[in-house]
Amino acid sequence: MGIQTTRLISAILRTALVLLALKVVLVTFISYRDYMPPNFDSDFLAGRQSYFWQGYHWAFYPHIVAGPVTLLLGLVLLSESFRRRWPLWHRRLGRVQAGLVLLVVVPSGFVMGFRAAFGPIAAVGLIGLAIATAATVTMGWRAAVQRRFDVHRKWMLRCYTLLFSAVVIRFLGGIGQVAGVQADWYYIQATWTSWIIPLIGVELLLLRRRHRIGVR
Ligand code: HEM
């Protein structure tokens, strides 16, 4: 495949991923209607009335506000041209992003994981996602402070891939609906595959890039 074709395909793929992330952010904002005040007949809150006001809400509300913000900020922070043009803003927004992920999205996701809708296997998948996200953002931050920017970029790409699982899991949910799969196992596998498969994809991409640079 020619280099032009490869570039075109990767530009189309990137645009599609950005559009998907924007769509999930928009849908989340629209679902606030069901969350504020909580509508216990809505898809996500159905069956959660007994424990919602007993602490779950302390994780839920910060999560649904900070989650979409980190998805948007991540898009800005991963942009090479933004970083080149506004390095100071990259640094400032990067601190905000790391703070939101480590102090809000991860702990709230971790706590909510224990109440995962589809039981313990889904719970472990989501708690694993929280732990992996905390690890990647910590490693990325450390590399930035040590001025190892190449390593920093790799960890932050991994971190965004994990945040992006919020998009992938909804995409998988959409596919399930279209295909008429309503089974619990389908949702349970999605709590794992929505972050592990993209993470493997990114590792392969990074390996290929390293190999290419090595060959040159
Ligand atoms: C470390 C990353 C994340 C973890 C561990 C995590 C974890 C969770 C968990 C455990 C739930 C409840 C699921 C259930 O009970 O079945 C949830 C729901 C939710 N999460 Fe996250 N999440 C993460 C990132 C994000 C991001 C980046 C967004 C951005 C859109 C987001 C938006 C939401 C929303 C809106 C809900 C409520 C359900 C809905 O309206 O679809 N999360 N999350």
Side-chain angles (χ1 to χ4, degrees):
M1 205 187 301
I3 200 147
Q4 297 280 30
T5 322
T6 315
R7 275 202 192 134
L8 181 68
I9 292 173
S10 102
I12 292 172
L13 209 69
R14 230 178 298 163
T15 311
L17 293 179
V18 170
L19 289 176
L20 266 179
L22 294 178
K23 188 203 158 210
V24 165
V25 169
L26 189 72
V27 169
T28 302
F29 288 148
I30 292 171
S31 351
Y32 282 1
R33 294 184 299 202
D34 284 329
Y35 300 151
M36 299 175 203
N39 168 10
F40 294 106
D41 291 325
S42 66
D43 275 355
F44 182 74
L45 290 181
R48 298 185 192 261
Q49 195 160 11
S50 59
Y51 58 81
F52 187 81
W53 293 116
Q54 283 167 11
Y56 189 82
H57 66 297
W58 288 116
F60 179 71
Y61 285 118
H63 189 82
I64 62 166
V65 173
V69 174
T70 59
L71 263 188
L72 290 177
L73 271 182
L75 288 179
V76 175
L77 288 163
L78 286 182
S79 156
E80 286 275 331
S81 54
F82 181 89
R83 182 174 48 83
R84 280 212 197 103
R85 232 190 251 185
W86 294 290
L88 190 64
W89 275 103
H90 176 87
R91 220 188 284 173
R92 282 180 185 152
L93 294 179
R95 281 193 198 120
V96 173
Q97 176 79 336
L100 281 178
V101 172
L102 265 183
L103 303 177
V104 186
V105 180
V106 162
S108 58
F110 185 88
V111 168
M112 287 161 71
F114 285 89
R115 291 288 194 175
F118 288 88
I121 301 178
V124 177
L126 292 163
I127 290 167
L129 166 66
I131 294 169
T133 310
T136 55
V137 74
T138 307
M139 296 300 282
W141 188 324
R142 211 170 74 130
V145 171
Q146 295 170 340
R147 307 187 68 77
R148 291 154 61 222
F149 295 115
D150 195 36
V151 177
H152 165 70
R153 265 198 293 274
K154 284 182 193 161
W155 279 113
M156 289 315 191
L157 180 62
R158 290 177 183 121
C159 175
Y160 193 72
T161 306
L162 294 175
L163 293 173
F164 199 80
S165 65
V167 178
V168 179
I169 202 164
R170 284 158 183 80
F171 185 69
L172 292 175
I175 292 181
Q177 256 176 2
V178 171
V181 185
Q182 304 272 311
D184 287 8
W185 66 262
Y186 184 77
Y187 180 81
I188 295 169
Q189 64 79 28
T191 59
W192 287 86
T193 51
S194 61
W195 60 278
I196 287 180
I197 304 265
L199 202 57
I200 292 173
V202 161
E203 289 308 325
L204 291 176
L205 205 79
L206 291 174
L207 258 176
R208 205 178 74 146
R209 213 181 276 171
R210 207 171 63 185
H211 177 73
R212 249 204 244 145
I213 292 168
V215 166
R216 264 193 227 146

